[in-house]
Amino acid sequence: MAQISKPVVRVDVRNIGGIDEASVTLPDGVSILTGRNATNRTSFLQALMAGLGSRQSSLKGDAEEGEVALELGDETYTRTLQRRGDSVAFGGDPYLDDPELADLFAFLLENNEARRAVARGDDLREIIMRPIDTDSIDAEIRECKRERDDLESEIEKLDSLERDLPDLEADRREKVEELEAAQEELEAVREELDDLDAGVEESRTRKQEMEEAFQQVRDARSELDDLEFDLETERSTLSELKAEREELRETVEEAEEPEENADRLAGRIDELRRRKRSLDDDINELGSVIGFNEDMVDGSGIDIDVDEGASGDDPTAALTAGDQTVCWTCGSEVETDQIEATLDRLRELRSDKLDERNEIRAEIQELTDQQSSIREAKREIERTEERLDAVDEEIESTESRIADLEAQIESKADEIEELEEEAESIDVDGYDEALELHREANGIELRIERIEDEIDEIDDEIDEREAAIERREDLKAEREELAERLTELRTRVDRIEENAVEGFNEHMETVLDILEYENLDRIWIERRETEVREGRRKVTRTRFDLHIVRSSPDGTAYEDTVDHLSESEREVTGLVFALAGYLVHDVHETVPFVLLDSLEAIDSDRIARVVDYFRTHADYLVAALLPEDAAALSEEYAYIENID
């Protein structure tokens, strides 16, 4: 099946690096910028990076502003650079909103951070893991833990309900027995009343009148019993509310005012973020300065006119001849070693600023967590105080209802006394005995009603508990799912690290096989744990160390360090490491470009193999090469000799 071609890319540049003005068209596939040093090839790559969104680009030394327009298919992307004092402000609408991933693993110029990290023998974990958002994973872990704790609390509650079921069933059996005994007792009293009624010689009217009087007494006593039950309930509620009020008061009194103020922390966090942004700018500027001066030292930089006393027709050769050179900033003669020493100090300064930025990131995270804790503590106190106010209102309302019930009970007791007096006034033979039996029957009936109500309440509670217990298995299943999710989240970063290391190692092994270095058997990354300081805390972190395995002339394998690699081997290793990052982090989904520069330390045949390997992983590969190196590459590539 034929490969679908990609649109050509047109890049218009003005005042970037050493370029006054230029327009270049790049086809899809491989484009080779071929020419001698100081022919603006690196400047063009920086301009292309700027159009794609990078800030690793420099403004032309004698210009106050510059711009890049990048046409890709039907879309046009722009980037503007404006000098503001000692810094350069970037604007426009570039291809990428966030260029960090591309800066690390797609824009592989000499000062590329991934390449330099390998050359210096740094811990490679920070480079590899920087694009990965572990904060969202941590937030998801916290949410899963909260849900799991809620489920465990609910399951424990259901276990408690199940443990209480035998006691409830025993209470029900006792109540049923008590009910049966009361019913038998009531039946005996009613039989006595029937016998007594049979012996009372009174008119039907008088007996009916007596029955109605007793019924009124029974009804009044039933109402009194309901009122007393309501009073008991309200008093129990009042007791619980007062206990809750005491607990709330103790909580409020014991709550300690946070030592730090959340707003003050916010100010500190903003200050740190501003410092981090400033460090980002400094790091970017230092990268550009270091890259520019490295190009000037090795003669690949822009062509700068020197004074008329400079020897020779080649300005670059004149500048770099012998142990002295003409400073391209002030024009005076300085020792070449002095410039190299200055560059070393600049590199060290950039490394220090990278370390400071990492420390600031850790401090920002620590302060943000502390700020969240303070705000949550304050919100908890506010909720407690609001609940305390509500409880005070409920206590006042409950006390009012209790007073009202006590008044009703007192009134009902007076009413019962009056009804009993009325019943006693009815003159019927055997009345005293009948009255006592009716009172006894009335008391038994009320007791039976209470027992029946209690049995109904126990039945409802048993039904509710049994229904809730049936949900327990579902909750346990949910808890198992959450436990698996937590395990997956906790190991996700580990798996990402393992997969990344595995991916890097696989790609480095593949490229080493392609490049065929005789005494370089293997380059691989080891993932190991180490204790580091993060802010004010010591934490365990993983570290990625680069290892090299060589073979001696007699075939014996031994381990070596990056420091002992040749310049060519270091450059290849750095390039392969960066490409592995391009693949492992799927950078092609973000930016379809790979840019290569400063490959002079690699021989031309191996450059050809590297380019051939890289081209299969990006829609557009643009490489800057010397003519003799470009000669070894395939004729099917596009070759660009003039940047104009």
Side-chain angles (χ1 to χ4, degrees):
M1 185 174 67
Q3 184 177 0
I4 300 175
S5 63
K6 304 296 187 298
V8 298
V9 178
R10 177 182 170 87
V11 187
D12 295 321
V13 185
R14 186 171 62 84
N15 291 339
I16 302 296
I19 299 174
D20 289 321
E21 194 165 352
S23 294
V24 177
T25 299
L26 304 172
D28 66 326
V30 177
S31 296
I32 305 300
L33 308 178
T34 180
R36 310 309 308 176
N37 290 331
T39 54
N40 289 330
R41 293 169 302 137
T42 299
S43 294
F44 175 75
L45 290 178
Q46 288 185 358
L48 181 54
M49 289 165 53
L52 292 170
S54 177
R55 296 167 61 90
Q56 305 286 336
S57 306
S58 59
L59 189 60
K60 194 168 184 290
D62 58 355
E64 292 299 315
E65 50 88 23
E67 63 181 344
V68 179
L70 189 154
E71 294 181 16
L72 180 58
D74 297 331
E75 299 291 335
T76 299
Y77 305 94
T78 62
R79 191 62 150 167
T80 61
L81 288 75
Q82 286 189 331
R83 196 177 303 283
R84 292 183 180 173
D86 296 331
S87 63
V88 174
F90 289 80
D93 184 20
Y95 185 87
L96 298 172
D97 293 328
D98 182 1
E100 183 173 58
L101 196 59
D103 279 334
L104 283 174
F105 301 118
F107 304 154
L108 309 184
L109 277 61
E110 184 177 23
N111 62 345
N112 170 265
E113 192 172 348
R115 290 178 66 176
R116 297 281 66 80
V118 170
R120 292 191 301 264
D122 293 349
D123 171 16
L124 301 179
R125 183 190 180 280
E126 197 278 331
I127 297 290
I128 293 174
M129 298 300 293
R130 190 187 301 173
I132 299 172
D133 181 13
T134 56
D135 290 342
S136 62
I137 298 176
D138 292 339
E140 195 171 351
I141 287 174
R142 289 194 295 271
E143 179 62 20
C144 283
K145 288 177 66 176
R146 185 193 63 77
E147 292 180 15
R148 182 202 59 189
D149 292 343
D150 290 344
L151 282 174
E152 288 181 346
S153 176
E154 184 67 19
I155 291 171
E156 176 59 31
K157 181 180 177 182
L158 294 179
D159 289 341
S160 172
L161 293 180
E162 186 178 42
R163 289 193 295 269
D164 293 342
L165 270 180
D167 293 337
L168 284 173
E169 290 168 350
D171 289 345
R172 188 184 188 283
R173 287 193 296 271
E174 290 179 4
K175 292 298 179 183
V176 169
E177 292 173 359
E178 187 179 347
L179 176 62
E180 291 172 352
Q183 289 171 338
E184 291 176 0
E185 187 179 351
L186 178 61
E187 185 62 28
V189 171
R190 284 175 175 170
E191 287 177 1
E192 287 186 50
L193 276 172
D194 290 341
D195 293 342
L196 183 61
D197 288 342
V200 175
E201 302 247 345
E202 283 292 339
S203 67
R204 182 178 299 173
T205 301
R206 297 293 287 173
K207 285 194 288 185
Q208 183 178 355
E209 187 178 334
M210 183 180 67
E211 288 291 341
E212 290 175 354
F214 283 136
Q215 185 60 48
Q216 288 180 347
V217 172
R218 283 196 296 272
D219 291 343
R221 285 191 175 278
S222 178
E223 292 172 4
L224 177 63
D225 189 65
D226 290 341
L227 289 171
E228 288 175 340
F229 178 80
D230 291 343
L231 178 61
E232 182 181 352
T233 301
E234 292 293 343
R235 284 174 174 166
S236 176
T237 300
L238 179 62
S239 177
E240 292 173 359
L241 287 171
K242 286 182 175 180
E244 183 181 359
R245 181 173 63 183
E246 288 305 312
E247 291 178 1
L248 291 170
R249 284 176 175 172
E250 288 178 6
T251 300
V252 172
E253 290 172 359
E254 292 174 1
E256 296 182 359
E257 188 69 22
E259 295 180 2
E260 291 285 357
N261 180 280
D263 294 334
R264 190 158 66 85
L265 285 178
R268 174 60 177 158
I269 291 170
D270 288 341
E271 179 185 339
L272 287 171
R273 284 174 175 162
R274 286 194 297 271
R275 175 58 182 159
K276 179 181 173 296
R277 287 193 293 270
S278 175
L279 283 171
D280 289 338
D281 291 340
D282 290 347
I283 290 167
N284 291 334
E285 289 294 331
L286 283 169
S288 298
V289 170
I290 292 168
F292 172 79
N293 283 279
E294 286 174 339
D295 289 345
M296 295 302 295
V297 167
D298 64 22
S300 62
I302 61 175
D303 189 357
I304 298 177
D305 291 336
V306 296
D307 60 41
E308 296 179 356
S311 61
D313 297 330
D314 186 350
T316 300
L319 287 174
T320 57
D323 295 333
Q324 289 191 329
T325 186
V326 176
C327 177
W328 41 86
T329 58
C330 66
S332 62
E333 288 191 358
V334 295
E335 296 289 336
T336 304
D337 290 345
Q338 184 178 347
I339 295 177
E340 291 288 356
T342 301
L343 275 173
D344 288 340
R345 288 195 296 273
L346 287 173
R347 294 185 189 104
E348 184 178 351
L349 176 60
R350 187 172 186 272
S351 177
D352 290 342
K353 287 185 178 292
L354 285 170
D355 292 340
E356 184 181 355
R357 182 176 66 179
N358 292 337
E359 291 177 1
I360 287 176
R361 280 176 176 168
E363 188 173 355
I364 288 173
Q365 184 60 51
E366 183 178 348
L367 291 177
T368 301
D369 293 342
Q370 188 178 352
Q371 185 185 52
S372 298
S373 299
I374 290 171
R375 286 175 174 166
E376 179 58 30
K378 286 191 173 183
R379 283 194 293 269
E380 186 63 31
I381 292 174
E382 289 171 0
R383 287 193 290 267
T384 303
E385 290 174 341
E386 289 173 1
R387 177 57 187 163
L388 184 57
D389 292 339
V391 167
D392 284 336
E393 292 179 3
E394 289 180 32
I395 287 175
E396 185 178 347
S397 176
T398 303
E399 288 175 339
S400 175
R401 290 195 297 274
I402 288 173
D404 185 52
L405 285 170
E406 288 174 342
Q408 292 183 53
I409 288 172
E410 185 177 352
S411 175
K412 185 60 67 175
D414 292 341
E415 181 185 345
I416 290 171
E417 188 176 347
E418 291 176 1
L419 290 172
E420 287 180 341
E421 288 176 358
E422 290 178 8
E424 290 173 1
S425 67
I426 300 173
D427 186 13
V428 179
D429 288 341
Y431 166 77
D432 291 339
E433 188 177 355
L435 178 62
E436 186 61 33
L437 288 172
H438 274 289
R439 283 177 175 170
E440 186 177 351
N442 181 247
I444 296 171
E445 288 172 350
L446 293 175
R447 180 151 48 92
I448 287 173
E449 288 179 9
R450 284 197 300 272
I451 294 171
E452 288 174 340
D453 289 342
E454 290 172 357
I455 290 174
D456 289 340
E457 289 176 2
I458 292 173
D459 285 340
D460 290 342
E461 189 170 355
I462 289 174
D463 291 341
E464 288 176 4
R465 292 186 180 217
E466 288 178 342
I469 289 169
E470 288 179 1
R471 292 181 53 247
R472 184 174 52 183
E473 294 307 314
D474 293 336
L475 295 179
K476 286 183 176 179
E478 288 182 37
R479 183 179 62 182
E480 288 302 315
E481 290 177 3
L482 275 175
E484 292 174 2
R485 178 65 176 158
L486 267 173
T487 301
E488 190 273 332
L489 288 170
R490 284 168 173 161
T491 58
R492 181 184 296 177
V493 174
D494 288 340
R495 289 201 309 274
I496 290 171
E497 291 180 352
E498 291 170 358
N499 291 338
V501 168
E502 183 180 351
F504 286 130
N505 290 339
E506 286 178 358
H507 288 296
M508 285 190 285
E509 181 178 2
T510 299
V511 176
L512 279 178
D513 289 342
I514 293 171
L515 298 181
E516 299 178 353
Y517 281 95
E518 293 181 358
N519 68 336
L520 195 59
D521 295 344
R522 184 185 179 202
I523 299 174
W524 59 286
I525 296 171
E526 178 192 17
R527 178 176 174 269
R528 63 183 180 86
E529 289 189 347
T530 183
E531 191 175 78
V532 299
R533 181 170 294 279
E534 189 175 270
R536 301 187 183 93
R537 301 172 299 172
K538 282 189 175 180
V539 295
T540 300
R541 289 285 183 265
T542 52
R543 175 183 172 91
F544 296 171
D545 292 329
L546 194 67
H547 295 270
I548 294 97
V549 177
R550 288 186 180 277
S551 292
S552 60
D554 62 2
T556 304
Y558 64 95
E559 187 165 328
D560 206 346
T561 65
V562 174
D563 296 336
H564 295 161
L565 291 177
S566 68
E567 183 180 4
S568 171
E569 291 167 340
R570 282 200 302 271
E571 290 298 330
V572 169
T573 304
L575 284 170
V576 174
F577 172 76
L579 176 63
Y582 188 89
L583 299 175
V584 170
H585 291 296
D586 296 320
V587 185
H588 67 279
E589 297 178 357
T590 303
V591 57
F593 285 81
V594 169
L595 310 184
L596 299 175
D597 191 19
S598 300
L599 306 182
E600 290 82 0
I602 308 173
D603 62 81
S604 58
D605 287 338
R606 287 191 170 100
I607 290 176
R609 296 175 196 171
V610 169
V611 170
D612 191 56
Y613 180 67
F614 273 46
R615 69 170 183 157
T616 62
H617 301 296
D619 294 339
Y620 303 90
L621 188 150
V622 186
L625 298 177
L626 295 171
E628 55 269 29
D629 292 331
L633 273 64
S634 171
E635 294 181 358
E636 69 182 37
Y637 300 155
Y639 289 84
I640 300 166
E641 296 182 358
N642 297 313
I643 307 296
D644 53 25

